[in-house]
């Protein structure tokens, strides 16, 4: 059908090309018109006839051949469907009619049609490729002649005549000879190609025949194996049942009658077994008691090769000889009840099976043997029965000791395979043989007879659960394959096509040459584009280095200046200059991030971090700015958010920082900025089980009397639900370790104009032209945030209303982590012992704000109660017991202002509550966003509150405030905390290598500030001299770009020296005493450069450096780098 669809299009293109041939008629004399009209017509006519004939033969032949093979396959699949799913043929036909839209198509005809089409497509892919090549070449030929026509028609008449003079009046002899030679060569290649095509298609037919045989054989092997495994599982279950109800009950709940009736009634679950029996483990010392108890003597098998299903008369058998252990059958299925009292340990195969089964705890098989009843080959499956006290990870000795009996089942393999082949019988039958190949040199035939070799053999392995026994299924076709008519017809068709292609070969060569020229041009453009991209990356790296290098000196010197004794004005100037420098570094970093994103070179880390700690860092970063503007800044994390996730904390913090920074920038002296983190799946929970903050955000209610809203600050906000309404990935993933975090940043700022909302994520674009002048900024923060969210596999959206505010939401995909992997978690556990189970009362008129305060207190391990008015709090404190159980009371400033008169009642009850140790009284704190020092003194003078806690709240601020109120921590001492980095670097010998004297001075000053002993050198050669083994340095900070010898080469030589010394010490050529009593030398080398690109970082690690520290230095960055090599002294 596909060939017929292409022919009309080809004919259409041929007819259009006739015009170009007619255009060239005057070029070849007066007799050309008729010839030019006849040649294309004859060419396309014979081509059409040849192609149609070949296609007709191929399609007819393929359908005829497929009708023989696929009809059998379809019937076989239909039969399997009928038997496996227990449906009727009419039901299958009705289902096929429903799917196809016609009640007349049956399942068999539908499957035959699909199989025939699939076979035709797979068998004639090469032929169809030829048709496509013909069509493409013909199209090129048409385009070539059409272009010649357009050149002649569209040109100037004079120029046209001049152009016509250059055409030869007739075909030259050289051209004719070249075409004849090329035609001979092409025809020769066509003949060779036809033979190759015959071989290729014939090989494909044989491969498909082999695949068909392999599929049929594998299917039979798989079904046989599955049925055997199911039956084996039932036998194993029966062994457990015997262990439970015979050995686990006293007296036993099973006897021969119960066992026989149960096994007969459940025989349908074990259709492959011919008999099941249970033998008890009896020691020689217990034999006499056992025989007396059962009333019969333990009998010996007549021969060593007999099995439990053989015909035998126990009364005629001899008693079992004396041995250490016996396994007499005490229970047996009715079909093999005659083997009761026979010792299974007296048979050679059964004896080996019993020993292997009880040592391994798994089912084991015997080698094939003849069953006397059916004269078929069968096997015996044996399971050991253990007492109920056997541990799960028992050793073979423990299993042997815990063995109490053995459960055996016999399988009639030929009957099993016959039944399986009867279910899968079809017209295209195959011959199946089953072998036991445990002994590869002498396989045992378990099923089947020898048949004539039909040329194909497929072997499928069978796994019956016993690793020591190997079985295989051999399959062959009964009949030899027919002649490959498809290959014969296709090769003939290719030969005919070769003759047709000779007429258009010349045009094809010209077109191919043009395509190659275009390809070369494209390659050149590609190389230029790649070179431009490399130049751009190098430019960015150079600019980053050239700007960061002097900025490192500026910021470092300013920091060292601020550490000296300065007056207030000087300190303010230094801090302003330092902040401006950091802002410049931030702008540079944003521009570099944008360039990395555009180049596709920005990669995310995968480290463990605490999302709540990230929120605390954001609060600490913006707390001063929010207090200056009088804006309430708060964060909240749902209880369902894991304590530790695995992802990129730096980029996660960067997104939140960008959003919070924008919110604070565009929010004036009122309102709030609220950041909340939830699981993305929480938004789909019903309201009654939803997180409290999410629920309150949905049910925003307005207080009509006070004209306020139930939000963090009482000002109206946008509907946060609209910010993620268009998210498509909130459904989450099926992997339990993968989670999606939803972060919401809500503000009450000026909002975004409606006409500007469509371009806020565009790089270097802001809401309007006056925004950058009024508020500052580069306009790429949101663009970078969106790109980072995309890298995290999430989405970002927003909702904004001018005059009300904006709400941004984004999601990110993370993996759950373990809390023990973070130092922060250990720090939290350190504080948990002090605040665990303390009871706290929060008084706040706004529910969302109360939940935020409750969240921070619960992080300390406190038990929190919430009331929404001072009147309720007064009622709670009316009981002396309640007051004594409270550790502290937190009252929000709003509740304080609205119910000021109740404060005196609280003061009086507090004074009269407990007349004893004042430390037992609850500490009362006032929560406020912005208060002057005079206002704070005035509030404290009332005598009700112990201290004022300024927002925003975070983990460490609550701890510090409570300790100060108890007098356990001095405020002034707490302001200057002991640095974590100082604990790491104290008395450490550090080598600093930098060619810039200012940078050496800055690095030396920073490291000495934390107690390190620093030695500074100016070049890589000097560093090599200082680090000659042995040396006393603990770490080395190495600049990368230095004259004479850069940091990369210096590091490689240092590592080479260390490797040589380590190898000598390991081989005994040198002793550790010769090298400072150190048996393995490897000094930590940290790259110290202003180039912060990813490629530079990778090159540092590749040359042997341990980590990467960018300029200018940050304490946290130094700490994270040095913590890998040094342990803290604290």
């Amino acid at each position: 059908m596909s060939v017929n669809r292409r022919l009309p299009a080809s004919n259409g293109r041929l007819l259009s090309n006739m015009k170009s041939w007619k255009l060239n008629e005057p070029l070849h004399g007066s007799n050309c018109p008729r010839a030019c009209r006849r040649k294309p017509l004859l060419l396309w006519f014979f081509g059409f006839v040849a192609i149609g004939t070949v296609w007709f033969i191929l399609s007819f032949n393929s359908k005829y051949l497929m009708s023989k093979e696929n009809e059998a396959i379809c019937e076989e699949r239909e039969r399997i469907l009928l038997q496996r799913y227990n449906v009727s043929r009419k039901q299958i036909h009705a289902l096929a009619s429903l799917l196809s839209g016609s009640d007349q198509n049956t399942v068999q005809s539908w499957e035959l049609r699909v199989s025939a089409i699939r076979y035709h497509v797979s068998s004639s892919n090469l032929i169809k490729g030829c048709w496509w090549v013909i069509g493409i070449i013909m199209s090129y030929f048409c385009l070539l002649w059409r272009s010649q026509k357009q050149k002649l028609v569209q040109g100037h008449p004079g120029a046209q005549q001049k152009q016509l003079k250059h055409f030869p009046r007739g075909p030259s002899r050289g051209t004719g000879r070249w075409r004849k030679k090329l035609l001979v060569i092409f025809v020769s290649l066509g003949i060779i190609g036809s033979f190759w095509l015959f071989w290729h298609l014939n090989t494909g037919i044989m491969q498909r025949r082999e695949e068909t045989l392999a599929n049929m054989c594998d299917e039979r092997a798989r079904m046989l194996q599955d049925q055997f495994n199911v039956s084996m599982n039932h036998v194993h279950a029966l062994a457990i049942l015997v262990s439970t109800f015979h050995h686990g009950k006293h007296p036993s709940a099973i006897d021969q009658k119960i066992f026989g009736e149960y096994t007969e009634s459940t025989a349908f679950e074990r259709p492959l077994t011919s008999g099941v029996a249970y033998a008890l483990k009896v020691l020689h010392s217990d034999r006499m008691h056992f025989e007396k108890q059962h009333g019969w003597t333990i009998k010996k098998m007549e021969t060593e090769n007999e099995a439990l299903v053989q015909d035998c008369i126990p009364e005629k058998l001899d008693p079992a000889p004396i041995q250490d252990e016996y396994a007499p059958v005490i229970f047996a299925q009715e079909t093999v009840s005659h083997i009761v009292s026979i010792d299974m340990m007296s048979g050679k195969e059964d004896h080996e099976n019993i020993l292997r089964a009880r040592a391994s705890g798994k089912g084991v098989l015997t080698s094939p043997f003849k069953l006397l009843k059916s004269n078929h080959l069968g096997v015996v499956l044996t399971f050991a029965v253990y007492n109920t006290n056997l541990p799960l990870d028992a050793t073979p000795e423990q299993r042997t000791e815990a063995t109490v009996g053995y459960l055996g089942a016999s399988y009639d393999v030929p009957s099993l395979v016959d039944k399986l082949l009867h279910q899968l019988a079809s017209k295209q039958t195959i011959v199946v043989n089953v072998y036991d190949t445990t002994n590869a040199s002498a396989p045992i035939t378990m099923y089947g007879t020898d048949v004539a070799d039909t040329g194909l053999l497929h072997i499928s392995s069978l796994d019956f659960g016993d690793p020591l026994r190997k079985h295989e299924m051999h399959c062959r076709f009964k009949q030899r394959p027919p002649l490959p008519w498809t290959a014969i017809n296709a090769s003939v068709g290719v030969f005919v096509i070769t003759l047709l292609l000779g007429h258009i070969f010349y045009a094809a060569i010209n077109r191919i040459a043009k395509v190659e020229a275009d390809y070369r041009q494209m390659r050149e453009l590609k190389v230029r584009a790649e070179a431009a991209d490399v130049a751009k990356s190098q430019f960015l790296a150079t600019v980053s280095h050239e700007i960061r290098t002097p900025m490192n000196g500026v910021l470092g010197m300013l920091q060292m200046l601020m550490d000296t004794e300065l007056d207030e004005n000087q300190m303010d100037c230094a801090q302003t200059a330092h902040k401006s420098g950091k802002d410049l570094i931030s702008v540079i970093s944003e521009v570099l991030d944008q360039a990395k994103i555009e180049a596709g070179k920005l990669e995310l880390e995968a480290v463990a971090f605490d999302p709540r700690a990230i929120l605390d860092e954001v609060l600490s970063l913006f707390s001063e700015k929010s207090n200056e503007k009088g804006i309430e800044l708060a964060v909240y994390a749902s209880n369902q958010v894991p304590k530790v996730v695995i992802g990129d904390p730096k980029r996660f913090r960067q997104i939140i920082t960008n959003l919070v920074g924008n919110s604070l920038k565009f929010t004036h002296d009122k309102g709030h900025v609220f950041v909340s983190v939830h699981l993305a799946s929480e938004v789909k929970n019903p309201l009654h089980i939803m997180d409290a903050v999410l629920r309150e955000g949905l049910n925003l209610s307005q207080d009509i009397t006070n004209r306020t809203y139930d939000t963090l600050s009482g000002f109206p906000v946008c509907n946060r639900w609209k910010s993620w309404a268009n998210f498509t990935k909130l459904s989450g993933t099926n992997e339990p370790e993968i989670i999606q975090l939803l972060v919401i940043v809500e503000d009450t700022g000026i909002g975004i104009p409606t006409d500007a909302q469509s371009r806020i994520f565009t790089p270097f674009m802001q809401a309007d032209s006056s925004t950058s002048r009024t508020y500052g900024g580069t306009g790429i923060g949101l663009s970078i945030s969106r790109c980072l969210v995309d890298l995290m596999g999430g989405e970002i959206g927003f909702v904004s209303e001018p005059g009300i505010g904006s709400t941004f939401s984004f999601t990110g995909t993370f993996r759950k982590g373990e809390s023990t992997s973070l130092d922060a978690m250990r720090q939290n556990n350190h504080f948990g012992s002090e605040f665990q189970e303390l009871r706290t009362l929060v008084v706040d008129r706004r529910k969302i704000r109360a939940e935020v305060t409750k969240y921070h207190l619960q992080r300390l391990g406190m038990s929190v109660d919430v009331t929404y008015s001072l009147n309720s709090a007064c009622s709670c404190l009316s009981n002396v017991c309640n007051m004594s159980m409270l550790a502290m009371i937190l009252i929000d400033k709003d509740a304080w202002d609205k119910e000021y008169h109740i404060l005196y009642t609280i003061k009086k009850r507090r004074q009269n509550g407990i007349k004893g140790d004042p430390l037992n009284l609850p500490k009362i704190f006032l929560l406020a966003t912005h208060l002057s020092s005079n206002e704070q003194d005035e509030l404290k003078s009332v005598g009700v509150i112990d201290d004022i806690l300024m927002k925003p709240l975070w983990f460490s601020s609550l701890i510090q405030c409570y300790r100060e109120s108890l007098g356990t921590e001095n405020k002034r001492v707490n302001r200057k905390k002991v640095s974590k980095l100082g604990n790491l670097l104290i008395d450490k010998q550090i080598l600093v290598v930098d060619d810039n004297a200012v940078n050496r001075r800055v690095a030396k000053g920073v490291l000495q500030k934390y107690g390190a002993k620093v030695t500074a050198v100016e070049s890589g050669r000097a560093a090599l001299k200082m680090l000659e083994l042995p040396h006393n340095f603990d770490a080395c900070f190495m600049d990368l770009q230095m004259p004479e010898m850069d940091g990369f080469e210096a590091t490689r030589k240092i590592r080479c020296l260390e490797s040589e010394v380590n190898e000598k010490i390991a081989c005994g050529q040198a002793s550790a005493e010769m090298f400072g009593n150190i048996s393995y030398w490897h000094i930590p080398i940290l790259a110290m450069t202003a180039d912060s690109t990813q490629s530079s970082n990778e090159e540092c690690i590749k040359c042997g450096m341990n980590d990467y520290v960018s300029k200018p230095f940050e304490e946290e960055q130094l700490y994270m780098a040095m913590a890998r090599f040094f342990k803290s002294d604290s």
Side-chain angles (χ1 to χ4, degrees), residues 966-1001:
L966 293 177
T968 59
E969 183 168 340
N970 193 310
K971 294 184 179 181
R972 294 184 179 180
V973 174
N974 188 55
R975 288 177 186 174
K976 236 179 180 180
K977 295 182 180 179
V978 179
S979 172
K980 297 184 294 183
L981 191 58
N983 294 330
L984 287 177
L985 298 181
I986 188 168
D987 294 331
K988 295 295 189 297
Q989 295 285 345
I990 306 295
L991 177 64
V992 175
V993 186
D994 199 317
D995 61 322
N996 189 294
V998 177
N999 288 342
R1000 289 199 304 271
R1001 183 177 176 185

Coordinates of all heavy atoms in Angstrom, one line a residue, residues 966-1001:
L966 N 17.1 34.0 81.7 CA 17.4 33.2 82.9 C 18.7 33.6 83.5 O 19.0 33.1 84.6 CB 17.5 31.7 82.5 CG 16.1 31.0 82.1 CD1 16.4 29.6 81.7 CD2 15.1 31.1 83.2
G967 N 19.4 34.5 82.8 CA 20.7 34.9 83.4 C 21.8 33.9 83.2 O 22.9 34.0 83.8
T968 N 21.6 32.9 82.3 CA 22.6 31.8 82.1 C 23.6 32.2 81.0 O 24.5 31.5 80.7 CB 22.0 30.5 81.7 OG1 21.2 30.7 80.5 CG2 21.1 30.0 82.9
E969 N 23.3 33.3 80.3 CA 24.2 33.7 79.2 C 24.3 35.2 79.1 O 23.3 35.9 79.2 CB 23.7 33.2 77.9 CG 24.6 33.5 76.7 CD 24.2 32.7 75.5 OE1 23.5 31.7 75.6 OE2 24.6 33.1 74.4
N970 N 25.5 35.7 79.1 CA 25.7 37.2 79.0 C 25.5 37.7 77.6 O 26.0 37.1 76.7 CB 27.2 37.5 79.5 CG 27.4 38.9 79.7 OD1 27.0 39.8 78.9 ND2 28.0 39.2 80.9
K971 N 24.8 38.8 77.5 CA 24.5 39.3 76.2 C 25.7 39.7 75.4 O 25.9 39.5 74.3 CB 23.5 40.5 76.3 CG 22.2 40.1 76.9 CD 21.2 41.4 76.9 CE 19.9 41.0 77.4 NZ 19.0 42.1 77.4
R972 N 26.6 40.4 76.1 CA 27.8 40.9 75.4 C 28.7 39.8 75.0 O 29.3 39.9 73.9 CB 28.5 41.9 76.3 CG 27.8 43.2 76.6 CD 28.6 44.2 77.4 NE 27.8 45.4 77.7 CZ 28.3 46.4 78.3 NH1 29.5 46.4 78.8 NH2 27.5 47.5 78.5
V973 N 28.8 38.8 75.8 CA 29.7 37.7 75.4 C 29.0 36.9 74.3 O 29.7 36.5 73.4 CB 29.9 36.7 76.6 CG1 30.6 35.5 76.2 CG2 30.6 37.5 77.7
N974 N 27.7 36.8 74.2 CA 27.0 36.1 73.2 C 27.1 36.8 71.8 O 27.0 36.1 70.8 CB 25.6 35.9 73.6 CG 24.9 35.0 72.6 OD1 25.3 33.8 72.5 ND2 23.8 35.4 72.0
R975 N 27.3 38.1 71.8 CA 27.4 38.8 70.6 C 28.6 38.4 69.8 O 28.7 38.4 68.6 CB 27.4 40.3 70.8 CG 26.0 40.8 71.2 CD 26.1 42.3 71.5 NE 24.8 42.8 72.1 CZ 24.6 44.0 72.5 NH1 25.6 44.9 72.5 NH2 23.4 44.4 73.0
K976 N 29.7 38.1 70.5 CA 30.9 37.7 69.9 C 31.1 36.2 70.1 O 31.8 35.8 71.0 CB 32.1 38.5 70.4 CG 32.8 39.2 69.4 CD 34.0 40.0 70.0 CE 34.7 40.7 68.9 NZ 35.8 41.5 69.4
K977 N 30.5 35.4 69.3 CA 30.6 34.0 69.4 C 31.9 33.5 68.9 O 32.6 34.1 68.1 CB 29.5 33.3 68.6 CG 28.1 33.6 69.1 CD 27.0 32.9 68.3 CE 25.6 33.2 68.8 NZ 24.6 32.5 68.0
V978 N 32.3 32.4 69.5 CA 33.5 31.7 69.1 C 33.3 31.1 67.7 O 32.4 30.4 67.5 CB 34.0 30.7 70.1 CG1 35.3 30.0 69.6 CG2 34.2 31.3 71.5
S979 N 34.1 31.5 66.8 CA 34.0 31.0 65.4 C 34.2 29.5 65.3 O 35.1 29.0 65.9 CB 34.9 31.8 64.5 OG 34.9 31.2 63.2
K980 N 33.4 28.8 64.5 CA 33.6 27.4 64.2 C 34.9 27.2 63.4 O 35.6 26.2 63.6 CB 32.4 26.9 63.4 CG 31.1 26.9 64.1 CD 30.0 26.2 63.3 CE 29.8 27.0 62.0 NZ 28.7 26.4 61.2
L981 N 35.2 28.2 62.6 CA 36.4 28.1 61.8 C 37.6 28.2 62.7 O 38.7 27.6 62.4 CB 36.4 29.2 60.7 CG 37.5 29.1 59.6 CD1 37.4 27.7 58.9 CD2 37.3 30.2 58.6
G982 N 37.6 29.0 63.7 CA 38.7 29.2 64.6 C 39.0 27.9 65.3 O 40.2 27.5 65.6
N983 N 38.0 27.1 65.7 CA 38.2 25.8 66.3 C 38.9 24.8 65.3 O 39.6 23.9 65.8 CB 36.9 25.2 66.7 CG 36.2 26.0 67.8 OD1 36.9 26.6 68.6 ND2 34.9 26.0 67.9
L984 N 38.7 25.0 64.0 CA 39.3 24.1 63.1 C 40.8 24.5 62.8 O 41.6 23.6 62.7 CB 38.5 24.2 61.7 CG 37.2 23.5 61.7 CD1 36.6 23.7 60.4 CD2 37.3 22.0 62.0
L985 N 41.1 25.8 62.7 CA 42.4 26.3 62.2 C 43.4 26.7 63.3 O 44.5 27.0 62.9 CB 42.2 27.5 61.3 CG 41.3 27.2 60.0 CD1 41.2 28.5 59.2 CD2 41.9 26.1 59.2
I986 N 42.9 26.6 64.5 CA 43.8 27.1 65.6 C 45.1 26.2 65.6 O 45.1 25.0 65.5 CB 43.1 27.0 66.9 CG1 44.0 27.7 68.0 CG2 42.7 25.6 67.3 CD1 43.2 28.0 69.3
D987 N 46.3 26.9 65.5 CA 47.6 26.4 65.6 C 47.9 25.5 64.4 O 48.9 24.7 64.4 CB 47.8 25.5 66.9 CG 47.8 26.4 68.1 OD1 48.2 27.6 68.0 OD2 47.4 25.9 69.2
K988 N 47.2 25.6 63.3 CA 47.5 24.8 62.1 C 48.5 25.6 61.2 O 48.4 26.8 61.1 CB 46.2 24.6 61.3 CG 45.1 23.8 62.0 CD 45.7 22.3 62.2 CE 44.6 21.4 62.7 NZ 44.1 21.8 64.0
Q989 N 49.4 24.9 60.6 CA 50.4 25.4 59.8 C 49.9 25.5 58.3 O 49.6 24.4 57.7 CB 51.7 24.6 59.8 CG 52.4 24.5 61.1 CD 53.2 25.8 61.4 OE1 53.4 26.6 60.5 NE2 53.6 26.1 62.6
I990 N 49.7 26.7 57.8 CA 49.0 26.9 56.5 C 50.0 27.6 55.6 O 50.7 28.6 56.0 CB 47.8 27.7 56.6 CG1 46.8 27.1 57.7 CG2 47.1 27.8 55.3 CD1 46.3 25.8 57.3
L991 N 50.2 27.1 54.4 CA 51.0 27.7 53.3 C 50.1 28.4 52.3 O 49.2 27.7 51.7 CB 51.9 26.6 52.6 CG 52.8 27.1 51.5 CD1 53.8 28.1 52.0 CD2 53.4 26.0 50.8
V992 N 50.3 29.7 52.1 CA 49.6 30.4 51.1 C 50.5 30.7 49.9 O 51.6 31.3 50.1 CB 49.0 31.7 51.7 CG1 48.3 32.6 50.6 CG2 48.0 31.4 52.8
V993 N 50.0 30.4 48.7 CA 50.8 30.6 47.5 C 50.0 31.5 46.6 O 49.0 31.2 46.1 CB 51.1 29.3 46.8 CG1 52.1 29.5 45.6 CG2 51.7 28.3 47.7
D994 N 50.5 32.8 46.3 CA 49.9 33.7 45.5 C 50.9 34.7 45.0 O 51.8 35.2 45.7 CB 48.7 34.4 46.2 CG 47.7 35.1 45.3 OD1 48.2 35.7 44.3 OD2 46.5 35.0 45.5
D995 N 50.8 35.1 43.7 CA 51.8 36.0 43.1 C 51.4 37.5 43.4 O 52.3 38.4 43.2 CB 51.9 35.8 41.6 CG 50.6 36.1 40.9 OD1 49.5 35.7 41.5 OD2 50.6 36.6 39.8
N996 N 50.2 37.7 43.9 CA 49.8 39.1 44.2 C 50.0 39.3 45.7 O 49.5 38.6 46.6 CB 48.3 39.2 43.9 CG 47.8 40.7 44.0 OD1 47.8 41.2 45.1 ND2 47.5 41.2 42.8
A997 N 50.8 40.4 46.0 CA 51.2 40.7 47.4 C 50.0 41.1 48.2 O 49.9 40.7 49.4 CB 52.2 41.8 47.4
V998 N 49.0 41.8 47.6 CA 47.8 42.2 48.4 C 47.0 40.9 48.7 O 46.5 40.8 49.9 CB 47.0 43.2 47.6 CG1 45.7 43.5 48.3 CG2 47.8 44.4 47.3
N999 N 46.9 40.0 47.8 CA 46.1 38.8 48.0 C 46.8 38.0 49.1 O 46.1 37.3 49.9 CB 45.9 38.0 46.8 CG 44.9 38.7 45.8 OD1 44.1 39.5 46.2 ND2 45.0 38.3 44.5
R1000 N 48.1 37.9 49.1 CA 48.8 37.1 50.1 C 48.6 37.8 51.5 O 48.4 37.1 52.5 CB 50.3 37.1 49.8 CG 50.7 36.3 48.6 CD 52.2 35.9 48.7 NE 53.1 37.1 48.7 CZ 53.5 37.8 47.7 NH1 53.2 37.3 46.5 NH2 54.3 38.8 47.8
R1001 N 48.6 39.1 51.5 CA 48.4 39.7 52.8 C 47.0 39.5 53.3 O 46.8 39.3 54.5 CB 48.7 41.2 52.6 CG 48.6 42.0 53.9 CD 48.9 43.5 53.6 NE 48.7 44.3 54.8 CZ 48.9 45.6 54.8 NH1 49.2 46.3 53.7 NH2 48.7 46.3 55.9

